[in-house]
Short mmCIF file of all heavy atoms in Angstrom, two decimals:
data_model
loop_
_atom_site.label_atom_id
_atom_site.label_comp_id
_atom_site.label_asym_id
_atom_site.label_seq_id
_atom_site.Cartn_x
_atom_site.Cartn_y
_atom_site.Cartn_z
N HIS B 97 -83.64 12.19 -120.39
CA HIS B 97 -83.22 13.63 -120.15
C HIS B 97 -83.89 14.60 -121.08
O HIS B 97 -84.17 14.19 -122.28
CB HIS B 97 -81.69 13.62 -120.46
CG HIS B 97 -81.00 14.93 -120.06
ND1 HIS B 97 -80.98 15.43 -118.78
CD2 HIS B 97 -80.43 15.82 -120.84
CE1 HIS B 97 -80.39 16.56 -118.75
NE2 HIS B 97 -80.06 16.85 -119.98
N SER B 98 -84.23 15.68 -120.55
CA SER B 98 -84.96 16.74 -121.39
C SER B 98 -83.95 17.37 -122.17
O SER B 98 -83.17 18.22 -121.83
CB SER B 98 -85.67 17.78 -120.49
OG SER B 98 -86.15 18.77 -121.27
N GLY B 99 -83.86 17.02 -123.45
CA GLY B 99 -82.86 17.64 -124.41
C GLY B 99 -81.68 16.64 -124.59
O GLY B 99 -81.59 15.58 -124.04
N GLY B 100 -80.91 16.96 -125.66
CA GLY B 100 -79.84 16.10 -125.88
C GLY B 100 -80.19 14.75 -126.59
O GLY B 100 -81.30 14.69 -127.14
N SER B 101 -79.44 13.70 -126.43
CA SER B 101 -79.71 12.47 -127.06
C SER B 101 -80.72 11.71 -126.24
O SER B 101 -80.39 10.52 -125.84
CB SER B 101 -78.41 11.70 -127.26
OG SER B 101 -77.39 12.43 -127.86
N ASN B 102 -81.85 12.25 -126.07
CA ASN B 102 -82.75 11.52 -125.12
C ASN B 102 -83.69 10.49 -125.89
O ASN B 102 -84.64 9.94 -125.31
CB ASN B 102 -83.68 12.45 -124.32
CG ASN B 102 -84.52 13.27 -125.28
OD1 ASN B 102 -84.49 13.07 -126.49
ND2 ASN B 102 -85.38 14.16 -124.69
N TYR B 103 -83.30 10.19 -127.06
CA TYR B 103 -83.96 9.10 -127.77
C TYR B 103 -83.29 7.78 -127.61
O TYR B 103 -83.73 6.71 -127.95
CB TYR B 103 -84.05 9.38 -129.25
CG TYR B 103 -82.61 9.94 -129.79
CD1 TYR B 103 -81.62 8.99 -130.08
CD2 TYR B 103 -82.39 11.24 -129.87
CE1 TYR B 103 -80.35 9.41 -130.53
CE2 TYR B 103 -81.12 11.62 -130.27
CZ TYR B 103 -80.14 10.72 -130.62
OH TYR B 103 -78.95 11.19 -131.01
N LYS B 104 -82.09 7.79 -126.97
CA LYS B 104 -81.34 6.56 -126.73
C LYS B 104 -81.80 6.04 -125.36
O LYS B 104 -81.13 6.18 -124.31
CB LYS B 104 -79.85 6.80 -126.66
CG LYS B 104 -79.16 7.09 -127.93
CD LYS B 104 -77.66 7.25 -127.79
CE LYS B 104 -77.06 7.74 -129.04
NZ LYS B 104 -75.50 8.02 -128.86
N LEU B 105 -82.96 5.36 -125.42
CA LEU B 105 -83.51 4.87 -124.22
C LEU B 105 -82.55 3.63 -123.72
O LEU B 105 -82.22 2.77 -124.48
CB LEU B 105 -84.89 4.29 -124.41
CG LEU B 105 -85.94 5.24 -124.97
CD1 LEU B 105 -87.35 4.69 -124.99
CD2 LEU B 105 -85.89 6.54 -124.18
N THR B 106 -82.36 3.62 -122.39
CA THR B 106 -81.50 2.54 -121.84
C THR B 106 -82.43 1.62 -121.06
O THR B 106 -83.05 1.90 -120.02
CB THR B 106 -80.50 3.18 -120.82
OG1 THR B 106 -79.67 4.09 -121.61
CG2 THR B 106 -79.67 1.98 -120.29
N PHE B 107 -82.66 0.46 -121.68
CA PHE B 107 -83.54 -0.54 -121.14
C PHE B 107 -82.69 -1.47 -120.29
O PHE B 107 -81.75 -2.19 -120.80
CB PHE B 107 -84.23 -1.38 -122.24
CG PHE B 107 -85.32 -0.62 -122.95
CD1 PHE B 107 -85.08 0.21 -123.98
CD2 PHE B 107 -86.69 -0.74 -122.49
CE1 PHE B 107 -86.02 0.85 -124.65
CE2 PHE B 107 -87.66 -0.15 -123.20
CZ PHE B 107 -87.32 0.68 -124.24
N GLY B 108 -82.86 -1.48 -119.01
CA GLY B 108 -82.22 -2.43 -118.12
C GLY B 108 -82.97 -3.78 -118.14
O GLY B 108 -83.54 -4.06 -119.14
N LYS B 109 -82.84 -4.52 -117.02
CA LYS B 109 -83.55 -5.80 -117.04
C LYS B 109 -85.02 -5.71 -116.70
O LYS B 109 -85.79 -6.56 -116.89
CB LYS B 109 -82.84 -6.74 -116.03
CG LYS B 109 -81.39 -7.08 -116.49
CD LYS B 109 -80.88 -8.34 -115.72
CE LYS B 109 -79.41 -8.56 -116.02
NZ LYS B 109 -79.26 -8.94 -117.38
N GLY B 110 -85.41 -4.62 -116.14
CA GLY B 110 -86.77 -4.44 -115.77
C GLY B 110 -87.30 -5.35 -114.61
O GLY B 110 -86.59 -6.13 -114.12
N THR B 111 -88.61 -5.29 -114.43
CA THR B 111 -89.19 -6.15 -113.43
C THR B 111 -90.20 -7.02 -114.23
O THR B 111 -91.09 -6.58 -114.90
CB THR B 111 -89.93 -5.36 -112.38
OG1 THR B 111 -89.13 -4.63 -111.60
CG2 THR B 111 -90.73 -6.26 -111.49
N LEU B 112 -90.03 -8.40 -114.08
CA LEU B 112 -90.95 -9.39 -114.59
C LEU B 112 -92.16 -9.51 -113.71
O LEU B 112 -92.01 -9.93 -112.53
CB LEU B 112 -90.28 -10.64 -114.90
CG LEU B 112 -91.22 -11.75 -115.42
CD1 LEU B 112 -91.79 -11.43 -116.73
CD2 LEU B 112 -90.44 -13.08 -115.47
#
Side-chain angles (χ1 to χ4, degrees):
Chain B
H97 189 63
S98 174
S101 307
N102 64 359
Y103 45 82
K104 289 184 185 177
L105 302 186
T106 301
F107 286 85
K109 294 193 182 303
T111 297
L112 175 62

